[in-house]
Amino acid sequence: MNTRKLLNTLYIMTENAYLTLDGENVVVVNGDTVLGRVPLHTLENIICFTYKGASPAFMGACADRKISLCFYSPTGKFLARVKGKEYGNVLLRKEQYRISDSLERSTTYAKNMILGKVYNSRWNIERTIRDHALRVDVDKLRTTAQTLKDGYQNIPLIQDMEELRGKEGKLAECYFGVFDELILNQKEEFVFKNRNRRPPLDNVNALLSFTYTVLANDCANALEGVGLDPYVGFMHRDRPGRKSLALDLMEELRAISGDRFVLTLINMRKINGSHFETQKDGAVYLNEKGRKIFFSEWQARKREQITHPYLKEKIEWGLVPYVQALLLARTIRGDLDEYPPFFWK
């Protein structure tokens, strides 16, 4: 397997911050005040929750060094991404496009990604039963876990993309139907009734949406890093500006990287109700203090060591999207007979 060093991600949370280049350093300023200075060679990603942006020289330096530079609104809405020259393998990408143009071939890849998603969703539930049987409705959770198990056992038999989408939707609804049971603490501040987005209308959905946005960005970076086009997907079809393949890759990681992380923040009381703000239209978002806590914990999580279930090698959690992207690229090239999804154990 190719090796890849997990470098730091720099998160810019100050809304009025502006990024400039000074030699080999990124300098973060707010008016005349220098907020920080970081050597570029230590960075892999820079994520800005600021409207002021960055200097052209700095953006060019990021593009030249393949440092991902993304801009989001303070509420977490994606705005723009700086991208340099394409270094992807043209033959790999042409084959990716051919697969995307074929619903039959796309379904073959999408099935395995959804298989991983449902498997890991069931694992989330089983883990809660195992660790907190006295605090949850065990019968309710076991019934849902069995439904998910039956569901992922049938997924390999699906031949049609629309059937796959329908199956995935029903199983996701089943999973989120018991998600509130997985929330063990701070029940008054974190009540989950159903999955809502655009905008999220409660604290749990705000946290889930924010987490998925960050995870999708990690998946997009990983895909570009192995030479694939993150905008051309298999299950998620082409739409201007949408990173469809990144959303495909994220499916199998939602429950284990996203949902589990959200539950840990809530159940370990890392995040509480004071870390959210409600706008006039009812939309709920993490505030600046909440985002700082989120990214501190996210970065720590990315550095935790695990054994990859397919490769049987020790890697950091933060490298899981990259490893899956690499396995996907190898499958598209024909080095692997079938894409191996991430089955967490």
Side-chain angles (χ1 to χ4, degrees):
M1 187 185 112
N2 291 344
T3 58
R4 176 182 173 97
K5 186 177 180 181
L6 183 61
L7 297 176
N8 293 318
T9 297
L10 176 64
Y11 301 101
I12 309 299
M13 234 70 70
T14 305
E15 292 184 20
N16 293 320
Y18 184 75
L19 283 68
T20 64
L21 182 67
D22 182 14
E24 292 296 313
N25 301 289
V26 52
V27 180
V28 185
V29 299
N30 185 1
D32 295 329
T33 304
V34 175
L35 302 179
R37 179 187 299 267
V38 181
L40 286 175
H41 74 269
T42 66
L43 298 175
E44 184 176 36
N45 303 293
I46 301 174
I47 298 178
C48 304
F49 294 87
T50 169
Y51 286 119
K52 288 206 170 180
S55 71
F58 172 70
M59 290 189 285
C62 288
D64 288 343
R65 293 162 176 79
K66 299 183 185 179
I67 298 172
S68 173
L69 174 59
C70 294
F71 296 96
Y72 294 83
S73 73
T75 59
K77 180 182 178 181
F78 175 77
L79 298 175
R81 187 163 183 254
V82 173
K83 188 175 181 181
K85 296 178 181 178
E86 292 287 355
Y87 295 94
N89 182 320
V90 64
L91 297 180
L92 175 66
R93 290 199 174 197
K94 287 179 72 174
E95 183 62 18
Q96 175 193 349
Y97 300 152
R98 281 191 283 265
I99 294 170
S100 180
D101 286 339
S102 166
L103 275 178
E104 182 180 353
R105 296 182 71 190
S106 291
T107 301
T108 301
Y109 284 83
K111 280 196 302 186
N112 284 14
M113 293 167 173
I114 298 305
L115 187 64
K117 175 181 182 176
V118 180
Y119 181 97
N120 292 329
S121 297
R122 177 175 177 264
W123 182 93
N124 255 357
I125 294 172
E126 295 282 2
R127 175 68 181 266
T128 300
I129 295 173
R130 188 192 75 185
D131 294 347
H132 305 286
L134 298 179
R135 302 180 62 186
V136 297
D137 187 336
V138 172
D139 290 339
K140 183 179 180 180
L141 291 181
R142 281 182 176 159
T143 298
T144 300
Q146 185 60 48
T147 300
L148 294 176
K149 182 178 181 180
D150 294 340
Y152 71 66
Q153 288 178 337
N154 291 328
I155 286 174
L157 303 176
I158 295 175
Q159 300 298 321
D160 178 75
M161 182 68 80
E162 288 307 311
E163 183 184 354
L164 177 64
R165 288 196 181 103
K167 187 76 169 180
E168 183 273 333
K170 289 179 180 178
L171 293 174
E173 184 178 355
C174 178
Y175 167 69
F176 279 120
V178 298
F179 196 78
D180 193 62
E181 284 287 329
L182 310 184
I183 299 173
L184 306 175
N185 294 318
Q186 307 187 88
K187 297 290 285 185
E188 292 184 1
E189 296 177 318
F190 294 94
V191 178
F192 185 86
K193 295 181 179 179
N194 60 276
R195 179 76 179 110
N196 54 70
R197 70 207 91 179
R198 301 188 189 97
L201 302 174
D202 58 68
N203 292 349
V204 181
N205 276 290
L207 206 46
L208 285 171
S209 291
F210 193 81
T211 303
Y212 294 158
T213 297
V214 174
L215 182 57
N217 182 66
D218 287 350
C219 289
N221 290 339
L223 290 165
E224 287 197 337
V226 301
L228 291 169
D229 186 340
Y231 290 90
V232 179
F234 303 143
M235 182 170 179
H236 291 83
R237 308 310 291 173
D238 296 347
R239 182 185 298 173
R242 182 167 76 172
K243 293 173 278 193
S244 297
L245 190 62
L247 296 178
D248 287 347
L249 187 67
M250 184 174 73
E251 290 293 354
E252 66 203 73
L253 304 179
R254 280 182 188 266
I256 196 60
S257 283
D259 301 349
R260 199 74 214 170
F261 179 73
V262 166
L263 291 169
T264 298
L265 290 180
I266 297 171
N267 291 334
M268 297 297 290
R269 304 179 191 274
K270 302 281 189 178
I271 292 281
N272 60 52
S274 70
H275 298 131
F276 298 84
E277 59 185 37
T278 302
Q279 299 190 342
K280 291 181 180 180
D281 62 355
V284 180
Y285 298 107
L286 273 173
N287 59 27
E288 183 174 341
K289 185 176 180 181
R291 293 194 298 270
K292 287 180 179 178
I293 295 171
F294 177 97
F295 284 121
S296 175
E297 296 297 323
W298 183 258
Q299 200 68 13
R301 162 82 165 177
K302 287 172 73 170
R303 295 197 176 279
E304 291 178 7
Q305 290 272 334
I306 66 164
T307 299
H308 191 280
Y310 178 77
L311 297 178
K312 310 301 181 186
E313 295 180 15
K314 285 192 175 297
I315 63 169
E316 293 172 311
W317 257 118
L319 291 180
V320 170
Y322 174 77
V323 172
Q324 293 307 121
L326 186 62
L327 292 171
L328 179 59
R330 288 182 173 181
T331 308
I332 291 173
R333 280 198 301 263
D335 298 336
L336 296 174
D337 293 333
E338 188 177 19
Y339 170 69
F342 185 85
F343 293 129
W344 188 232
K345 300 176 181 179

